[in-house]
Amino acid sequence: MKNLRILALALVSITTFSSCSSDDDKATLVNEEEVITTINATLTPQGGGTPVVLLSRDLDGDGPNAPIVTASGNFTVGAIYNGTVTFLNELTNPAEDITAEIKEEGDEHQIFFQQTGLGTFAYNDKDVNNRPIGLNFVYTAAATPATGTLNIVLIHEPNKAGEGVSQGIITNAAGATDAQVTFNVTVQ
Amino acid sequence: MAGSLCAYSQNTISGSVTTTQNKPLDGAHIHIEELHAMSNPDGSYKIQNIPAGQHRVVISYIGYKSLDTLLYITGSTRLDAILKPEATQLQEVVLSANNAVPKNVIHEQKLKTETIEKYSNASLGDALKEIAGVYTLKTGNNIVKPVINGLHSSRVPVISNNVRLEDQQWGTEHAPNLDINSAGKISVIKGASALQYGGDAVGGIVLVEPVKVLKDTLFGKTILNAASNGRGGSISSSLHKGAEKGWAWNAAGTYKYMGDREAPNYVLSNTGNRESNFAGDVKYIGSDYDLSASYSFYDATIGIAKATHIGNVSDLVRAINSGRPNVVEPFTYDINAPRQEVQHHLAKLNFNKRFSDASTLSVQYAFQHNSRKEFDIRRGAFTNKPALDLTLVTHSAQADWKKETDALTLKSGVSGSAQKNDASPDTNIRPLIPNYSKYDAGVYGIASYAFSDSFTAEAGVRYDFSKMDASKFYQKSRWTNLGYDKEFAHFITGDFGSQWLTNPQFTFHNISASVGIRKELDNGMQVLANASLAMRNPNPSELFSDGLHHSNGTIELGDLRTDKEKAYKFSATLLKSNGSFTFEATPYLNLINNFIYLAPTEIEYTIRGAFPVYRYRQTDALLAGLDLHTNWKIASNWQHNFSFAYVYGQDTTKDQPLIEMPPLNIANTIRYTKENWHQLFLELRSEAIFKQTRYPNNNFNVDLPVNGELVSTPVDVSTPPAGYHLLHFNSGITFNTSQKSTVTVGLSVLNIFNTTYRDYLNRQRLYTDDLGRNFQLQLKFNY
């Protein structure tokens, strides 16, 4: 009998402490500041003309929806373009421009342009170690009409001293991919 | 000096400790002055190195009257003790050569103190691997989880000091938050038959108990370890004040400092670790009751190999194809991202009361505070911000009652717990595990009856109630993608633009049960047979996971529809514990209904690139296997140990193998001992791990840029690595420094031939090789 009483007492005390625990554990909306949702590569013809804007937007971040990838127009055979790449986080309001941060930490980032037959990409900026970042570049379109894919890849903590890396060859870059977008491009 | 040392070591005392009903007492304390030992599950014990002459021998066990006698010890003396319950005042000494007959129907496999000390510089998981049928699931080499008969994590609860460890055990890269050095006893029960600890141990239970000393004495132990691989070591010290009555206490602390580990061909960059742990308890022992308070703190910083951080599938393919880690830096002690910072506090109050009718009542309350911060490689300002920051607080209380009469043992108890998880939003990353509250209550009853001296049967049943209440944001796109918009609209409590705030709630009622028998056969062998039903509720990870896992480059998705698992396990153990050749063989069959597993289902594209999506699914599973362990005393100085474990895991619905089943593994140990030469022992251990040939093919193709073109590329994440064979050496020698103190010097070499290998159950196997050769020096002071 005595045992039963003690057991009952234990049960009562358990119920008491569980029922008095507070209910203020609602989740707080997380401010996703680090996510890259948008990549914008704007290529302006040297000597003027309408820029070509390559845009990739993924407004649900790592959610199930795939990025929406667009190109505003085609490139002209043999033309030379001054290019810039910007990175945005449009999950925050107002949208956050991550480009400045990448520039500031230029020695920990590099952008690679992977393609074949579309022409040549040359870096037009430098980090503190005189190695390219790729936020600014010069694109020389192919001399003959071509269509293909252009991959723009942002690598975090690449081995920038790796062989060929400063020439834009990704093979020895290692690091982790922060962004990777494939654009369908036409040179005509 | 040397002469006197030799005289010490020639005398041993051994025997068994049993109750008046001839039940073995597991964990009884045997003291001869400063020497002490604990009895094994079959009640047997042995103490070596005793100076010849008359000694006071004390054998004690909680709830039983201690045996205290003077004995003239010379050569090999046998003392079989029969202890009476505390309530009676009689005590009895029987000197005989008979072996005790264990009556427990549940087979508990215990690690020897020597084994626990051998892994002083490693972890609980590493030590448990010495038990046949226990494998390890690793993330690198510092995060080690036990796998029992092919199952791990939520299916293998760890009970520390009679408290179920709530340390976010659901995660495959969350190791038990426990210092192996604070353990006095570590054992494994395979399956869910020990209902007093819960009804959800689909795989098995790991029991860790602190040192218990019931004799008026004060003694201590300090272990110093140095390891060549990792270029660091640890120090662990403990003091124990025992008492038959009055105050007793224990205090233990460990500090560990290790740098980068090395594979045979390169440094595993960012794989150092640090640990600072403390455990202590105070106990007051009265005439028929005792009251104790204990506290332990575990604090670890664990580096995760930098090479395993990947951004997307392109990086994964590069890692798999190159066969070498993409980051190899010079050796350092520094630990950068990725890393885990884990802290676990456990405080407990316990009251035991013994009644005159040979029954005992134990009431306890425990508080646990678990904090886990995971740091990832992040951009700029986020470098020092954890990517995951979870705090899990658990209150639990239980009352257990036990009554033993001549043939009948009754056990019953109730338990309840309240748990709250808090996911910090300051990480700026949507948390993988949401905020939640969980309430559990359980009640059990177990009866065991000895029908004869050679036959005991046991049956038990348990009921558990569980209620979970979570608060989580879902991206609207994900919510719809998972089909929740139709089924779970009632969970939505708020609209925040692109996200829903939801309040998922779940209630579970579970029944678990177990029946078992133990039969002594005529030839000194025993057979134990057990059938159990276990039910396990889905854990937070299986329900709620929602996001990117940087360590394996996958998007992991839980499912709110996940139902509880039901496991029917049948096992038998054939034991032979007498003679120069002993063995135990345990065949088993585990049928799991609604088995929860992760399977790749599709590829998703984000701005980072492509990722395979792994979803938690349910199926029916069958696990069958055999664990075998033998010990052969070849000659007085030579001993051979053999263990073998094989598990066959099959998804019976899809008719394909289960993922991540431990491969066939065989270990052979040859041991040479020379007791009169300072208890010298030399040991050679061979570990053969075969290639797992049964695995599901989860390989997938993904479009990756190759020279500017998108090429469909196969990603081989399924093929298990080749089998491997490792050879280890271990040795020890003990010196008596005074009447009351000894020093043991141990030297070991792990992976003698610096063999390059990867293990199927190491989550970093796609990125790096496993550990190379490691020389370890251990100094142990007993005082």
Side-chain angles (χ1 to χ4, degrees):
Chain A
M1 236 1 251
K2 194 179 169 193
N3 297 345
L4 275 181
R5 275 207 303 275
I6 295 171
L7 287 185
L9 198 71
L11 258 188
V12 168
S13 59
I14 290 162
T15 353
T16 319
F17 84 69
S18 35
S19 54
C20 62
S21 75
S22 61
D23 217 28
D24 59 350
D25 43 8
K26 233 183 220 165
T28 313
L29 192 67
V30 170
N31 201 4
E32 290 183 84
E33 287 177 9
E34 204 189 4
V35 178
I36 295 171
T37 61
T38 310
I39 297 179
N40 179 325
T42 302
L43 296 97
T44 312
Q46 284 183 359
T50 315
V52 177
V53 179
L54 306 174
L55 188 69
S56 172
R57 290 177 86 196
D58 190 352
L59 293 182
D60 73 343
D62 59 11
N65 296 341
I68 295 164
V69 183
T70 55
S72 70
N74 297 329
F75 295 98
T76 308
V77 170
I80 302 172
Y81 297 82
N82 287 329
T84 57
V85 193
T86 53
F87 298 88
L88 297 178
N89 174 10
E90 297 189 75
L91 292 182
T92 56
N93 191 15
E96 192 189 354
D97 188 352
I98 296 166
T99 321
E101 200 186 323
I102 293 171
K103 191 170 186 173
E104 198 178 311
E105 295 174 0
D107 58 331
E108 289 181 10
H109 289 95
Q110 188 168 339
I111 297 155
F112 294 86
F113 304 91
Q114 296 177 281
Q115 48 83 27
T116 36
L118 296 174
T120 56
F121 284 80
Y123 288 115
N124 196 20
D125 55 5
K126 286 194 159 65
D127 67 13
V128 290
N129 302 319
N130 265 331
R131 296 195 175 107
I133 306 170
L135 291 168
N136 294 301
F137 60 94
V138 174
Y139 168 52
T140 307
T144 52
T147 55
T149 53
L150 167 65
N151 265 288
I152 301 184
V153 185
L154 170 65
I155 300 279
H156 185 207
E157 299 198 344
N159 174 16
K160 294 187 85 166
E163 196 190 332
V165 174
S166 60
Q167 280 88 56
I169 300 165
I170 203 168
T171 319
N172 297 316
T177 308
D178 264 5
Q180 175 180 313
V181 184
T182 305
F183 298 98
N184 288 316
V185 168
T186 303
V187 181
Q188 62 181 30
Chain B
M1 173 85 184
S4 69
L5 288 175
C6 287
Y8 281 174
S9 47
Q10 276 164 351
N11 308 300
T12 62
I13 181 166
S14 63
S16 68
V17 187
T18 55
T19 67
T20 45
Q21 282 104 50
N22 207 19
K23 291 188 182 181
L25 287 170
D26 175 12
H29 290 264
I30 300 96
H31 287 271
I32 299 169
E33 273 97 55
E34 74 280 2
L35 301 166
H36 98 283
M38 250 200 288
S39 62
N40 297 314
D42 64 356
S44 66
Y45 73 91
K46 186 176 189 181
I47 295 181
Q48 300 162 329
N49 209 29
I50 305 165
Q54 183 153 294
H55 295 277
R56 181 179 171 212
V57 182
V58 179
I59 299 181
S60 55
Y61 190 86
I62 190 156
Y64 289 84
K65 190 72 198 156
S66 293
L67 173 137
D68 192 341
T69 187
L70 286 174
L71 205 62
Y72 191 83
I73 299 174
T74 176
S76 293
T77 308
R78 185 165 183 98
L79 171 65
D80 290 333
I82 296 176
L83 302 186
K84 292 214 159 188
E86 188 92 53
T88 61
Q89 292 301 312
L90 295 168
Q91 52 177 295
E92 205 171 315
V93 180
V94 177
L95 283 161
S96 77
N98 292 337
N99 275 307
V101 184
K103 291 281 172 63
N104 200 342
V105 305
I106 296 168
H107 189 45
E108 193 178 318
Q109 284 166 294
K110 197 172 119 183
L111 284 181
K112 286 188 286 187
T113 308
E114 183 193 307
T115 311
I116 297 175
E117 287 171 351
K118 180 169 136 193
Y119 289 94
S120 165
N121 199 28
S123 67
L124 176 70
D126 291 310
L128 287 168
K129 204 182 176 184
E130 294 238 344
I131 295 175
V134 181
Y135 204 75
T136 52
L137 174 68
K138 294 187 178 188
T139 302
N141 289 287
N142 299 326
I143 300 172
V144 186
K145 306 196 71 164
V147 180
I148 300 179
N149 291 157
L151 302 170
H152 57 82
S153 300
S154 292
R155 298 184 182 105
V156 178
V158 176
I159 313 290
S160 172
N161 195 4
N162 207 33
V163 179
R164 189 191 179 99
L165 219 51
E166 291 292 346
D167 54 356
Q168 311 189 31
Q169 64 278 10
W170 56 70
T172 47
E173 67 282 359
H174 304 178
N177 292 178
L178 185 81
D179 176 16
I180 187 170
N181 294 293
S182 66
K185 182 186 159 191
I186 299 174
S187 54
V188 165
I189 297 173
K190 293 169 182 165
S193 45
L195 292 176
Q196 62 269 43
Y197 301 112
D200 62 348
V202 173
I205 284 177
V206 176
L207 293 170
V208 181
E209 288 167 38
V211 176
K212 282 178 196 151
V213 190
L214 286 155
K215 188 202 156 199
D216 286 309
T217 179
L218 175 69
F219 66 93
K221 179 168 85 177
T222 297
I223 300 180
L224 290 163
N225 288 293
S228 67
N229 199 339
R231 304 183 204 177
S234 66
I235 175 164
S236 179
S237 222
S238 59
L239 265 182
H240 310 277
K241 165 78 174 75
E244 270 177 85
K245 263 192 188 150
W247 294 98
W249 52 264
N250 296 301
T254 298
Y255 182 72
K256 198 177 283 180
Y257 190 96
M258 301 292 291
D260 285 343
R261 306 303 206 285
E262 283 162 67
N265 300 313
Y266 43 77
V267 173
L268 299 164
S269 288
N270 203 51
T271 56
N273 66 318
R274 315 273 186 270
E275 247 180 65
S276 332
N277 310 316
F278 171 82
D281 62 72
V282 180
K283 188 179 202 173
Y284 182 79
I285 305 163
S287 54
D288 61 352
Y289 70 94
D290 62 70
L291 183 66
S292 66
S294 62
Y295 168 75
S296 67
F297 177 54
Y298 171 87
D299 183 359
T301 300
I302 304 164
I304 314 275
K306 199 175 173 187
T308 65
H309 175 91
I310 54 170
N312 65 9
V313 170
S314 303
D315 299 349
L316 176 64
V317 170
R318 238 185 295 155
I320 294 173
N321 293 346
S322 83
R324 271 182 78 90
N326 67 26
V327 189
V328 176
E329 287 163 359
F331 171 89
T332 174
Y333 288 100
D334 295 344
I335 302 173
N336 293 308
R339 69 175 185 280
Q340 301 183 353
E341 291 181 7
V342 201
Q343 295 187 325
H344 191 81
H345 299 265
L346 195 166
K348 187 184 105 163
L349 283 172
N350 179 273
F351 176 72
N352 288 304
K353 169 94 177 138
R354 289 174 293 278
F355 299 98
S356 50
D357 62 348
S359 66
T360 54
L361 178 70
S362 161
V363 182
Q364 99 177 20
Y365 163 77
F367 169 78
Q368 294 180 77
H369 183 279
N370 185 267
S371 146
R372 163 173 291 273
K373 290 188 174 73
E374 296 187 358
F375 294 81
D376 217 328
I377 297 174
R378 300 177 76 177
R379 256 199 339 268
F382 301 98
T383 309
N384 293 315
K385 225 174 218 198
L388 181 76
D389 182 352
L390 300 176
T391 306
L392 183 68
V393 173
T394 312
H395 300 267
S396 57
Q398 65 188 65
D400 297 278
W401 172 82
K402 184 177 173 182
K403 183 175 166 80
E404 278 186 277
T405 54
D406 275 351
L408 182 69
T409 304
L410 294 171
K411 283 188 252 181
S412 176
V414 290
S415 62
S417 72
Q419 182 173 82
K420 196 169 143 176
N421 185 54
D422 182 55
S424 169
D426 302 331
T427 57
N428 299 112
I429 292 180
R430 290 182 312 112
L432 280 167
I433 304 291
N435 286 4
Y436 73 81
S437 309
K438 191 160 87 75
Y439 305 101
D440 292 279
V443 55
Y444 71 87
I446 302 166
S448 122
Y449 189 78
F451 289 91
S452 72
D453 280 351
S454 63
F455 183 70
T456 306
E458 185 180 283
V461 63
R462 182 180 172 105
Y463 163 78
D464 283 284
F465 165 82
S466 183
K467 183 177 184 298
M468 189 181 218
D469 189 324
S471 178
K472 173 171 165 59
F473 281 95
Y474 277 94
Q475 293 164 310
K476 286 182 178 173
S477 56
R478 181 66 74 201
W479 184 260
T480 308
N481 165 262
L482 292 169
Y484 291 170
D485 47 339
K486 296 173 191 77
E487 265 175 88
F488 299 111
H490 57 286
F491 285 160
I492 296 175
T493 55
D495 186 339
F496 288 74
S498 63
Q499 298 190 45
W500 295 118
L501 175 60
T502 65
N503 174 213
Q505 293 183 16
F506 305 96
T507 305
F508 296 98
H509 299 274
N510 294 348
I511 297 284
S512 43
S514 167
V515 290
I517 55 156
R518 180 168 202 134
K519 169 88 182 142
E520 192 195 351
L521 307 174
D522 293 337
N523 46 11
M525 294 209 287
Q526 295 164 58
V527 63
L528 289 82
N530 225 287
S532 66
L533 162 67
M535 292 192 190
R536 180 181 75 87
N537 297 330
N539 64 36
S541 168
E542 291 158 344
L543 289 168
F544 304 116
S545 277
D546 167 21
L548 208 58
H549 240 280
H550 276 290
S551 56
N552 37 6
T554 58
I555 290 174
E556 221 172 273
L557 299 175
D559 197 326
L560 296 178
R561 303 170 193 95
T562 310
D563 203 358
K564 63 189 170 202
E565 281 181 352
K566 281 182 206 153
Y568 304 87
K569 184 164 184 178
F570 306 90
S571 69
T573 301
L574 187 63
L575 273 178
K576 181 181 174 291
S577 46
N578 56 358
S580 59
F581 182 76
T582 63
F583 70 87
E584 50 184 75
T586 307
Y588 58 89
L589 172 68
N590 202 351
L591 300 167
I592 307 174
N593 209 232
N594 283 332
F595 181 76
I596 306 170
Y597 69 108
L598 257 183
T601 52
E602 70 243 58
I603 301 287
E604 275 182 9
Y605 290 87
T606 78
I607 216 142
R608 279 180 182 275
F611 292 96
V613 176
Y614 280 71
R615 295 180 191 237
Y616 282 98
R617 290 288 168 91
Q618 293 192 282
T619 188
D620 289 339
L622 178 153
L623 288 96
L626 173 68
D627 301 337
L628 180 66
H629 181 259
T630 69
N631 176 276
W632 180 28
K633 292 184 178 67
I634 307 165
S636 60
N637 293 341
W638 290 94
Q639 230 186 87
H640 172 252
N641 269 293
F642 170 81
S643 62
F644 166 101
Y646 175 73
V647 57
Y648 169 92
Q650 181 80 351
D651 177 335
T652 52
T653 308
K654 288 164 87 179
D655 204 23
Q656 65 175 33
L658 289 176
I659 194 168
E660 284 176 357
M661 284 294 126
L664 170 68
N665 55 92
I666 293 172
N668 278 284
T669 310
I670 285 276
R671 184 183 170 104
Y672 173 81
T673 44
K674 186 108 175 122
E675 297 208 342
N676 58 10
W677 215 87
H678 306 305
Q679 294 172 54
L680 170 79
F681 76 88
L682 305 166
E683 203 177 81
L684 206 55
R685 182 175 167 85
S686 128
E687 262 185 279
I689 314 289
F690 290 72
K691 181 178 167 139
Q692 179 56 278
T693 52
R694 302 189 73 260
Y695 59 94
N697 186 346
N698 288 340
N699 295 345
F700 54 89
N701 274 296
V702 66
D703 289 341
L704 293 179
V706 177
N707 299 324
E709 299 295 322
L710 286 183
V711 178
S712 178
T713 312
V715 187
D716 183 1
V717 292
S718 310
T719 311
Y724 59 91
H725 178 252
L726 302 179
L727 210 58
H728 312 297
F729 169 78
N730 188 22
S731 64
I733 187 163
T734 301
F735 303 95
N736 290 51
T737 44
S738 77
Q739 276 285 66
K740 295 206 166 194
S741 61
T742 61
V743 182
T744 305
V745 182
L747 176 74
S748 63
V749 189
L750 301 173
N751 191 0
I752 295 172
F753 294 116
N754 213 15
T755 304
T756 297
Y757 70 100
R758 296 188 183 203
D759 189 275
Y760 182 43
L761 266 67
N762 191 327
R763 298 177 72 256
Q764 298 186 348
R765 69 176 173 88
L766 297 177
Y767 309 93
T768 67
D769 290 338
D770 229 297
L771 288 189
R773 188 189 294 125
N774 187 11
F775 292 93
Q776 292 193 112
L777 183 68
Q778 185 179 77
L779 291 178
K780 185 182 80 173
F781 303 90
N782 277 308
Y783 43 87

